[in-house]
């Protein structure tokens, strides 16, 4: 099975990836494509623990470029993805405001919006089919790195310590991709720090639309195929969409975090509690929340990390990617895509550097990613403020004020091509800064 996938000749570079979320899977698959030897470590004992929960996740055209290079993946994703090319926006009391079309983005690539668990399962199955070495039920408690000792015959390396057994695994490079609580952040920063609340939390729901189709107030959302709409109000935005020809529906809304929930993806929510935040909102929104079956609602605290001064360890053999490096607010609509880009860029930098220049590869990776990631990250708070603090007197005169920003520099982008185009230039910049050894 593994031999059916194209990959470059063996590079001799060994890579440990910690975390099997989208960032970790991307890094592992891309490293395998480039001929590196990969071991993926994941703390859950069964991958279903990751795929069981979740709601809508979005990969924009810049993120989906990688999927097109993984045989069979993007077509499998599109088969379960939402089939819309627009977003209809409403005032929170129910008045239609504007339709934002995304049709002109087709020339940049594919937009993939679907259930987080289903899309993750597609990527996971591709990784397994490639024959990549995976160790589940393996929790990393610490990271380490060394320049080696030539006299003692110890080569430069990085590694991890496995919780419980104390086992030490070693590779040429370690990629920390296990999220906002990554233990890899300590070796990069030099100290422990905890995530902060962003001041907001999110209710998320996903369920079959059978009962919705019977509700006169809601049935138009599901009986004519897939739909996508958002309702904008003070300090809250409520988004809902239908998929699989309207047979499944999901909704999500961001609200002020009143401290009633813990920092857990799987904290159960109750529709009656969610409705308390929606006083004065239109009947459609109320009916949709009420229609949510028991056990299908999650209340999730949005955590925040201060921007890091660097994504790499002092000896440049350990790299943070995805939420470990740069957690995004959902309103950026770029967190997932940027995590995919991270894996693509790091694997390609390792390809171009070769085994003897691992630190150069990681420094080039950071140079290629740092400004772009933070520029994309800043779009999240901007969109949230544009919606939550909307001046409706002005919006009614110019409805496009509440459209999402869809900029070509961000969306019309191929991360792999960018590395091939700019790697040598970036290395020369690093040399000038005294940061890349020949």
């Amino acid at each position: 099975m593994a031999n059916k996938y194209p990959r470059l000749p063996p590079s001799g570079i060994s890579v440990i990836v910690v975390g099997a979320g989208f960032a970790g899977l991307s890094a592992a698959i891309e490293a395998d494509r480039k001929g590196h030897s990969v071991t993926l470590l994941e703390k859950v004992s069964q991958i279903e623990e990751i795929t069981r929960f979740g709601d809508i996740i979005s990969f924009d055209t810049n993120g989906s470029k990688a999927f097109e290079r993984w045989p069979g993946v993007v077509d499998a994703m599109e088969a379960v993805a939402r089939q819309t090319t627009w977003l209809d926006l409403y005032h929170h009391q129910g008045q239609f405001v504007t339709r934002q079309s995304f049709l002109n983005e087709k020339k940049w690539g594919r937009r993939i919006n679907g259930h987080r668990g289903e899309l993750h399962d597609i990527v996971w199955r591709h990784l397994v089919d490639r024959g990549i070495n995976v160790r589940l039920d393996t929790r990393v408690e610490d990271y380490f790195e060394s320049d080696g000792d030539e006299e003692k015959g110890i080569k430069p390396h990085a590694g991890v310590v496995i919780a419980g057994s104390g086992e030490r695994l070693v590779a040429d490079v370690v990629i920390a991709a296990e999220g906002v609580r990554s233990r890899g952040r300590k070796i990069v920063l030099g100290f422990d720090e905890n995530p902060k609340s962003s001041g907001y939390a999110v209710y998320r729901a996903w369920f079959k639309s059978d009962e919705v189709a019977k509700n006169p107030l809601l049935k138009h959302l599901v009986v004519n195929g897939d739909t996508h709409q958002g309702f904008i109000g003070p300090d809250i935005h409520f988004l809902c969409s239908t998929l699989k020809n309207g047979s499944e529906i999901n909704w999500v809304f961001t609200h002020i975090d009143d401290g009633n929930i813990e920092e857990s993806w799987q904290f159960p929510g109750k529709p009656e509690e969610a409705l308390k935040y929606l006083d004065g909102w239109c009947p459609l929104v109320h009916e949709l929340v009420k229609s949510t079956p028991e056990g299908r609602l999650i209340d999730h605290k949005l955590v925040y990390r201060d921007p890091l001064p660097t994504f790499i360890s002092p000896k440049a053999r350990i790299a943070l990617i995805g939420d470990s490096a740069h957690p995004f607010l959902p309103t950026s609509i770029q967190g997932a895509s940027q995590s995919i880009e991270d894996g693509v860029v790091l694997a390609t930098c390792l390809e171009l550097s070769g085994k003897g220049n691992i630190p150069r590869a990681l420094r080039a990776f950071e140079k290629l990613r740092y400004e772009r990631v933070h520029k994309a990250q800043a779009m999240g708070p901007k969109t949230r403020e544009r919606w939550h603090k909307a001046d409706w007197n002005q919006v009614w005169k110019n409805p496009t004020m509440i459209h999402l920003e869809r900029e070509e520099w961000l969306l019309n982008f191929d991360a792999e091509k960018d590395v091939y185009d700019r790697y040598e230039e970036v290395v020369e910049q690093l040399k000038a800064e005294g940061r890349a050894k020949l």
Side-chain angles (χ1 to χ4, degrees):
M1 287 188 297
N3 291 331
K4 69 183 180 183
Y5 296 115
R7 56 172 53 84
L8 296 180
S11 67
I13 297 173
S14 57
V15 179
I16 292 173
V17 180
V18 183
F22 282 104
L25 297 184
S26 166
I29 291 170
E30 285 295 309
D32 183 67
R33 284 185 64 237
K34 302 301 185 182
H36 313 322
S37 175
V38 184
T39 297
L40 175 65
L41 309 178
E42 170 52 49
K43 65 184 178 182
V44 303
S45 58
Q46 296 182 333
I47 205 65
E48 289 76 17
E49 294 178 46
I50 293 177
T51 62
R52 186 181 303 125
F53 296 96
D55 66 309
I56 196 82
I57 190 169
S58 299
F59 294 96
D60 269 322
T61 52
N62 55 306
S64 69
K65 288 285 196 303
F67 303 150
E68 295 180 2
R69 297 186 177 110
W70 305 345
V73 168
V74 76
D75 290 335
M77 286 180 159
E78 286 206 324
V80 297
R82 187 178 65 224
Q83 303 299 313
T84 61
T85 57
W86 68 87
L87 169 62
D88 286 336
L89 292 168
Y90 295 78
H91 186 276
H92 73 282
Q93 293 178 331
Q95 303 97 316
F96 174 75
V97 183
T98 180
R99 169 171 284 195
Q100 180 172 4
S101 173
F102 307 115
L103 269 174
N104 65 337
E105 296 174 18
K106 280 193 170 183
K107 61 181 179 291
W108 297 338
R110 309 197 206 195
R111 296 171 60 246
I112 305 291
N113 301 275
H115 188 278
R116 184 182 302 267
E118 290 183 345
L119 297 183
H120 184 278
D121 185 59
I122 291 168
V123 178
W124 167 256
R125 284 187 280 110
H126 177 73
L127 177 140
V128 171
D129 203 31
R130 295 186 75 97
I132 293 173
N133 182 35
V134 177
R135 288 181 51 171
L136 298 176
D137 199 18
T138 304
R139 183 185 296 272
V140 169
E141 67 177 9
D142 204 4
Y143 290 72
F144 60 88
E145 62 182 344
S146 171
D147 287 330
D149 188 326
E150 193 170 340
E151 290 185 2
K152 296 181 179 179
I154 300 174
K155 296 180 179 179
H157 60 271
V160 297
V161 180
I162 306 304
S165 67
E167 180 185 6
R168 295 167 70 88
L169 301 178
V170 173
D172 292 310
V173 59
V174 174
I175 302 173
E178 72 268 56
V180 293
R181 289 190 175 276
S182 171
R183 297 298 299 163
R185 292 177 65 96
K186 181 179 180 181
I187 196 168
V188 169
L189 289 172
F191 57 87
D192 274 320
E193 38 88 63
N194 293 316
K196 305 173 182 178
S197 171
S198 68
Y200 286 83
V202 180
Y203 279 105
R204 304 174 181 270
W206 188 296
F207 49 96
K208 296 285 186 181
S209 66
D210 300 28
E211 294 303 312
V212 170
K214 300 174 185 177
N215 188 316
L217 194 59
L218 301 176
K219 66 180 183 180
H220 68 281
L221 299 176
V222 301
V223 296
N224 296 311
D226 296 352
T227 61
H228 188 200
Q229 44 275 314
F231 297 80
I232 310 301
D235 281 324
I236 291 176
H237 63 276
F238 186 105
L239 301 172
C240 62
S241 67
T242 55
L243 298 90
K244 302 176 184 174
N245 198 32
S247 65
E248 297 182 11
I249 190 165
N250 66 91
W251 61 262
V252 54
F253 79 82
T254 299
H255 62 90
I256 296 290
D257 177 14
D258 54 17
N260 288 336
I261 60 170
E262 299 296 325
E263 186 187 320
S264 171
W265 176 257
Q266 300 176 25
F267 192 90
K270 298 178 180 179
E272 59 269 26
E273 293 178 355
L275 286 169
K276 294 176 183 177
Y277 294 97
L278 299 169
D279 185 40
W281 283 58
C282 63
L284 184 152
V285 167
H286 279 246
E287 282 295 306
L288 185 54
V289 173
K290 289 176 186 177
S291 71
T292 305
E294 185 177 354
R296 302 305 301 171
L297 179 59
I298 294 169
D299 198 4
H300 170 56
K301 184 187 290 286
L302 290 176
V303 297
Y304 175 76
R305 294 279 198 176
D306 290 324
L308 294 178
T310 179
F311 297 156
I312 61 176
S313 58
K315 300 182 187 301
R317 288 186 170 269
I318 298 169
L320 304 176
I321 68 170
D323 283 351
S324 299
H326 44 72
F328 276 65
L329 293 177
T331 41
S332 71
I333 323 178
Q334 271 292 309
S337 293
Q338 292 301 316
S339 73
I340 302 300
E341 286 189 14
D342 283 347
V344 171
V345 172
L346 185 46
T348 309
C349 285
L350 289 169
E351 171 204 348
L352 296 178
S353 73
K355 184 177 175 67
N357 292 299
I358 301 298
R360 179 192 298 177
L362 269 64
R363 292 185 178 112
F365 156 77
E366 179 182 58
K367 190 84 167 175
L368 287 159
R369 296 297 296 148
Y370 196 85
E371 182 179 349
R372 176 174 169 81
V373 163
H374 285 96
K375 191 175 177 182
Q377 205 173 18
M379 296 178 73
K382 284 173 61 179
T383 298
R384 185 184 64 195
E385 290 305 296
R386 185 184 308 119
W387 282 352
H388 290 195
K389 310 299 182 187
D391 180 344
W392 285 98
N393 289 326
Q394 296 301 314
V395 172
W396 289 118
K397 296 174 184 176
N398 179 18
T400 62
M401 287 175 61
I402 58 172
H403 282 189
L404 296 166
E405 290 185 13
R406 309 291 291 173
E407 299 191 19
E408 185 170 359
W409 69 265
L410 182 62
L411 303 174
N412 187 18
F413 184 80
D414 184 331
E416 183 180 67
K417 182 178 184 300
D418 186 61
V419 181
Y420 287 143
D421 288 347
R422 295 203 295 134
Y423 179 80
E424 292 301 331
E425 171 192 337
V426 165
V427 168
E428 289 304 314
Q429 291 174 0
L430 292 170
K431 289 178 184 177
E433 297 167 5
R435 296 173 61 201
K437 296 180 181 178
L438 287 173

